[in-house]
Amino acid sequence: MTDETTEQTADEATDEADRTRFATYEARSAVWNAWGELDPYVIAPIVNPGFMGGDFWPDTRQAHVVSRRPDAVLLASDGLSDPFGQPDAPRRNGWGVEFYGIATDPALVGYQVVMDLASSWLATAVMGMSGIEASGKHVVPALAEFGTLSVEFDGSRMPGPHRDRFVRDNGSITFLLNLTDPAIVPAVIDGPLSPIHLVNVKLLTVAETNTIITGTVPDQIAARAELTAKLAAQPDPLVSSLDRPSVV
């Protein structure tokens, strides 16, 4: 193989990587723009944590995007499903998942710049799930087995008037993963290399949380399935509202 051939092969590989990368960006952006209006700015660290001993994302880039409606805001991870950037990595769309949450809290809907949302209770969940995924605890296989999961995060960012309903005695808030409503947000989209799962995070009340953390493991699984059905039957099941009534 000549140097010229080697250079041409490298150029073709770069072109293909760029095509799949931008096709991935476009596939995700199309969903968030269909839901609302995608903000041109993203939430991203000034210095990539991967270069400071933290976890790397599939193509290094770490970001979160915001889409907006007059009465709601959507925050989503943006990069967990980027194609792997390493030449010897698997040819697929990263870990095949992005997490998102939708809130109607007026304090969030009325943000001035996207970084205003970075310190919100909604960001606690979405960015928290991004960190869990990047740490190697991949969620998609578990969701394939159980359908939904619940996860707890620090509740210190929950506004005071709502703490009694959403913050448990241990200071945590709980989110249910993977409620779906294809008419609002597709559960899976086609990436240029492999499917991308869009996983919703839904804020639970303390009463709802208590029903899925008591009893044996089979009891908890059954209770979570029952809670999921009740939440799915509500209007706007994908939305986390601080004012919604508890279903239990």
Side-chain angles (χ1 to χ4, degrees), residues 38-220:
L38 191 61
D39 197 300
Y41 296 97
V42 303
I43 301 172
I46 296 175
V47 179
N48 192 311
F51 298 121
M52 301 176 64
D55 296 312
F56 278 101
W57 287 27
D59 195 29
T60 304
R61 191 182 66 89
Q62 302 188 20
H64 290 80
V65 297
V66 178
S67 186
R68 196 181 210 172
R69 288 181 176 179
D71 60 346
V73 65
L74 181 152
L75 175 66
S77 60
D78 191 66
L80 298 171
S81 63
D82 283 355
F84 287 110
Q86 302 81 6
D88 58 345
R91 280 184 51 77
R92 66 173 187 261
N93 275 96
W95 297 312
V97 66
E98 300 290 351
F99 300 97
Y100 73 95
I102 302 172
T104 54
D105 182 354
L108 305 186
V109 176
Y111 76 87
Q112 298 299 308
V113 294
V114 292
M115 285 304 296
D116 292 344
L117 299 178
S119 59
S120 68
W121 58 267
L122 183 63
T124 295
V126 177
M127 293 183 178
M129 287 309 306
S130 297
I132 289 173
E133 185 70 24
S135 72
K137 299 178 178 69
H138 302 309
V139 172
V140 170
L143 291 176
E145 180 176 359
F146 297 108
T148 60
L149 298 170
S150 61
V151 61
E152 292 186 2
F153 293 106
D154 175 67
S156 60
R157 293 173 174 174
M158 179 60 60
H162 302 281
R163 293 185 62 82
D164 287 346
R165 294 189 64 237
F166 293 102
V167 181
R168 298 178 61 220
D169 290 342
N170 66 359
S172 70
I173 51 178
T174 306
F175 290 80
L176 185 71
L177 305 183
N178 208 36
L179 274 173
T180 59
D181 185 349
I184 305 300
V185 174
V188 185
I189 60 174
D190 292 328
L193 298 176
S194 58
I196 300 171
H197 297 257
L198 304 179
V199 176
N200 177 264
V201 299
K202 170 90 169 188
L203 178 65
L204 300 182
T205 66
V206 171
E208 290 164 348
T209 300
N210 288 339
T211 67
I212 61 174
I213 61 172
T214 56
T216 64
V217 171
D219 289 339
Q220 294 177 23

